[in-house]
Amino acid sequence: MHNHTLTKYAAAAAAALAMAACGSDGTSTTGNATPDAGTPTTPTKNVVFFLGDGMGLTTMTAARIYKVGEDGELTMDTLPETGFVRTYSNNAQVTDSAPSMSAYMTGVKMNNEVISMSADTMAYDAGGKDYLSGADSTCPSGNGKPVTTLLELMKAAGYGTGVVTTTRITHATPAATYAHICHRDGENTIAAQLTPAGKGFNAALGDGVDVVFGGGRKHFQPTTAGGARTDGRDLIAEFKAGGYRYASNKAEFDTLAATDNKVVGLFTSSHMSYDLDRDPSKEPSLGEMTNKAIDVLAAKKKGFFLMVEGGRIDHALHETTARKALQDTVAFDSAIRGAIDKLNTIDPGLKNTLIVVTADHDHTLVLNGYAKRTGPTSDANPGVLGLLKSYVNGANATDTGGNPFTIIGFGTGENRPATRGALTDAAVYDKTYHQEAAIPVAPGGETHGGTDVFIGARGLGAERFTGTMDNTEVFGLIKQAVGL
């Protein structure tokens, strides 16, 4: 982002929308940003984009076994059109969430840590220092330019818009739909870009995103109120003043109605809880947030774009707490199932609705062999989370030292004992257990993996989502389906 005020940037982004978004070479990458003369005044199509953060193929497989056994099916498994996505970024074989989600949302390859900016945007200087020294910093002058997102395009075309996540709403994946910044860590700046009418607002969002649900309240509150903002602004108050209904907990969330024009829910100071730890009386589930978002958007009687992220799958994988990761994957799948059911009542047969399900990148989780079939996990059966038992005789498989090991392991992770000892099913089933890793790293430092990820689709234009594709191609496939 350039070294000028975010207000100036917002005007530039709006101008870019009016002409068309451009890639790093200045050529059009998004098509017209406003409807042409043949486009109906009121949009009639819907797009719901589901993103399981870090949900690689092995995580999907393990989650299926965890929930329904080897021969069962998750909702994701039933999508009629499927393919594979290459996830590498502009400067890295293994991507982080910022450029991978941005590729889906803009059709542009960008560098790691960069959010919805041109391919030449750098997140680090030559010495490796990041370009954001604080949470509300801006980027150096001349360091790239914003590229238009799918959400911005659909907003400009008259569609309703929504963003739902279990992470901070300012985290990389949700931010890539509505913000532009050279480094993902500038979350105070990202929050300002989301807040209508205030300094730094992204004018390409028009009158603002219609539905915003997730965590990250601290980036909308000043330090004097326990938040992280050093500029003294209370962005929650600004949302309310702009006509949004606000919810900070489950009880307030339950009072939000489909007839509310615009809604924002920030349910936790930072990320929302893992599904295994969530108190349902305090935090809504991902499925509940998704259903409420669809209700509010559908009530507008026009088409809409909704992004839904199962974001804490990624965090549990970084921790190597596999049980939490699999449970959050199942919660993500449940949100997909609920959305398909609800959308079929709104648009029978999904003739005007496209549902896309994918991941932004892989992790290093592996399924060791050769385990006998375990069936689904329960308190009486650790299943895929348990010790590896031989398919020949059911005995624990052992390493060269005679010690048992788990079915699930990680390539990198914090649990790399110098000397392996005996393990029990009870110990490794615990939700706080960190699965063992081949390469020791700092706590929480398990890395992403570079393997291709799953993509599936149902409904309008779903037939285009087949084969192996680059992540940048998904943007164009969605545009084609909607007719932008």
Side-chain angles (χ1 to χ4, degrees), residues 58 320 322 364-368 406-412 435-438:
T58 314
T320 61
T364 69
L365 184 147
V366 296
L367 294 179
N368 296 312
T406 54
I407 296 171
I408 293 178
F410 284 85
T412 59
Q435 271 69 22
E436 291 177 286

Side-chain angles (χ1 to χ4, degrees), residues 91-148:
N91 67 341
Q93 184 180 91
V94 177
T95 187
D96 77 283
S97 295
S100 52
M101 183 58 170
S102 295
Y104 288 139
M105 292 296 105
T106 69
V108 177
K109 280 279 186 191
M110 54 199 74
N111 294 324
N112 274 13
E113 318 290 349
V114 175
I115 290 178
S116 296
M117 297 284 285
S118 54
D120 59 334
T121 308
M122 300 301 297
Y124 297 88
D125 66 17
K129 181 180 179 181
D130 73 64
Y131 276 127
L132 289 181
S133 58
D136 49 5
S137 300
T138 55
C139 300
S141 176
N143 186 25
K145 58 191 176 186
V147 288
T148 305

